[in-house]
Amino acid sequence: MEKFIGLVGTNSDNSTNRKLLQFMEKYFADKAQIEIIEIKDLPIFNKPEDKQIPEQVQLIADKIDAASGVIISTPEYDHAVPASLINALNWLSYGIFPFVDKAVMITGASYGTLGSSRAQLHLRQILDSPELKARIMPSSEFLLSHSLQAFDEEGRLNNGEHIEKLEGLFEDFLTFVKITNQLNHAHSINKKEAENFSWEEI
């Protein structure tokens, strides 16, 4: 059985993106093990000169390294991902490179009608950066709109069409992970390029 990390893309205590990942953790328990990881206690990224990584950041990096893939669920603030998610990804690409060639599925929930569509596009751009180099599942937006009304009292999605689409996308992600894991011939070079990349030398 595949093991995935479910990264909560916000520091909010009452996030519907966390609820979405918790639903996926339970609903797909017979297909994969999803471990939900929080980012809300990470310190603000300050680019330390000694490149000492906070212990909680290293712990997340190690878990991502060991996982077959990562599911990130993000809200949308001002047409972008939250600062807390950018902060986490800054740490996770500073002297450590767990996302290089890692299969990633993006989901998102928002209170409005667009379901974090612009934030998901923003996140794709970030994950494609030279320091992260993730492999993002294409054509796979799961946009949960009006998310405050999307769950029942037990935390289950209450719309059958939403569940059906999420089931299809999750099956696609399982296939994408298998394919991605075979595309590993340049992994060592890709990781070295991420390690050696510097904007100052461009």
Side-chain angles (χ1 to χ4, degrees):
M1 182 179 291
E2 301 286 8
K3 181 175 180 179
F4 299 144
I5 296 300
L7 200 65
V8 181
T10 175
N11 59 359
S12 170
D13 290 330
N14 300 302
S15 172
T16 52
N17 284 277
R18 182 181 294 106
K19 283 186 177 182
L20 177 57
L21 288 173
Q22 289 170 340
F23 169 75
M24 293 177 69
E25 176 188 22
K26 294 177 182 177
Y27 193 80
F28 297 118
D30 62 332
K31 299 179 182 296
Q33 179 184 351
I34 301 175
E35 180 181 358
I36 297 176
I37 298 292
E38 299 282 353
I39 62 172
K40 59 184 179 179
D41 294 325
L42 299 184
I44 295 175
F45 180 71
N46 59 355
K47 199 176 181 180
E49 291 186 10
D50 59 5
K51 293 202 173 184
Q52 286 296 309
I53 305 298
E55 182 178 354
Q56 57 267 55
V57 174
Q58 187 63 60
L59 180 61
I60 294 174
D62 291 343
K63 288 179 178 291
I64 292 173
D65 265 329
S68 300
V70 179
I71 305 166
I72 304 177
S73 194
T74 180
E76 181 175 310
Y77 302 145
D78 301 326
H79 293 190
V81 299
S84 55
L85 179 53
I86 295 176
N87 181 64
L89 294 174
N90 287 162
W91 277 121
L92 291 167
S93 57
Y94 187 65
I96 51 176
F97 305 94
F99 275 102
V100 173
D101 296 330
K102 185 68 63 175
V104 176
M105 175 182 180
I106 299 174
T107 65
S110 73
Y111 297 168
T113 59
L114 297 179
S116 80
S117 59
R118 289 163 296 198
Q120 291 196 32
L121 177 61
H122 184 213
L123 182 54
R124 286 177 180 275
Q125 292 174 326
I126 295 171
L127 290 170
D128 196 40
S129 67
E131 301 94 329
L132 284 161
K133 285 183 174 289
R135 296 191 187 273
I136 311 137
M137 186 167 73
S139 304
S140 62
E141 287 183 324
F142 183 74
L143 307 172
L144 185 63
S145 59
H146 304 293
S147 58
L148 286 174
Q149 295 82 39
F151 299 91
D152 62 22
E153 293 180 357
E154 296 179 352
R156 180 184 171 91
L157 284 174
N158 54 27
N159 184 303
E161 290 184 1
H162 287 161
I163 294 175
E164 184 178 1
K165 180 167 185 180
L166 192 58
E167 285 177 336
L169 289 176
F170 194 78
E171 287 292 340
D172 285 347
F173 187 56
L174 291 173
T175 301
F176 181 71
V177 167
K178 291 178 181 177
I179 294 172
T180 298
N181 288 341
Q182 296 177 42
L183 303 177
N184 59 5
H185 300 88
H187 178 68
S188 60
I189 295 175
N190 290 339
K191 193 164 186 178
K192 185 177 293 184
E193 286 179 349
E195 292 172 353
N196 295 333
F197 181 82
S198 173
W199 289 102
E200 298 173 1
E201 296 178 2
I202 292 180

